Amino acid sequence: QVQLVESGGGLVQAGCSLRLSCSASGRTSSSYAMGWFRQAPGKEREFVAAISVGGAITYYADSVKGRFTISRDNAKNTVYLQMNSLKPEDTAVYYCTAGHSVARMKYEANYWGQGTKVTVSS
């Protein structure tokens, strides 16, 4: 079992930046692929980004490619999502996720955080 706690959400204006953090705890938390999903009000959850255990492989949804960057610091057991050029359509609850395969993180995850809300105003 791994516990995930997100932070960094808030209200920002379109065009601004925000960095989300996810603190992972557990005996082998650094051995998981990590990722982010988001869910807008009334919408289905969607994949945002994922990163491999060592950080060498990353995946991004087309909607955020070029604007968002996922990274991790295994020494701190922390995963980040740097969000630049935010748009109103980025408004959602963002969930930190962990899984056993970075490729499968585009579709599902084994563990989920509680979520942090991001609101982008126009």
Side-chain angles (χ1 to χ4, degrees), residues 31-35 53 97-102 105 108-111:
S31 68
Y32 291 94
M34 305 293 293
V53 173
T97 62
H100 302 294
S101 169
V102 65
M105 295 293 290
E108 62 185 27
N110 297 96
Y111 305 100

Side-chain angles (χ1 to χ4, degrees), residues 1-4 24-34 53 72 74 77 98:
Q1 180 78 16
V2 60
Q3 290 75 48
L4 307 172
S25 62
R27 200 169 188 271
T28 58
S29 59
S30 63
S31 68
Y32 291 94
M34 305 293 293
V53 173
R72 67 190 298 165
N74 286 339
N77 292 318

Side-chain angles (χ1 to χ4, degrees), residues 28-116:
T28 58
S29 59
S30 63
S31 68
Y32 291 94
M34 305 293 293
W36 295 89
F37 276 76
R38 68 185 182 185
Q39 187 166 23
K43 305 291 185 180
E44 297 279 293
R45 74 176 186 185
E46 65 174 339
F47 168 76
V48 177
I51 188 167
S52 61
V53 173
I57 303 171
T58 57
Y59 296 104
Y60 296 95
D62 289 341
S63 59
V64 307
K65 197 171 298 180
R67 299 189 298 121
F68 291 11
T69 302
I70 188 171
S71 62
R72 67 190 298 165
D73 184 340
N74 286 339
K76 297 181 179 179
N77 292 318
T78 302
V79 179
Y80 305 97
L81 185 68
Q82 179 67 46
M83 305 185 294
N84 298 328
S85 302
L86 283 163
K87 305 174 180 179
E89 52 262 44
D90 295 318
T91 295
V93 175
Y94 284 71
Y95 296 93
C96 179
T97 62
H100 302 294
S101 169
V102 65
R104 293 190 61 83
M105 295 293 290
K106 293 181 285 185
Y107 311 106
E108 62 185 27
N110 297 96
Y111 305 100
W112 296 74
Q114 84 290 344
T116 186

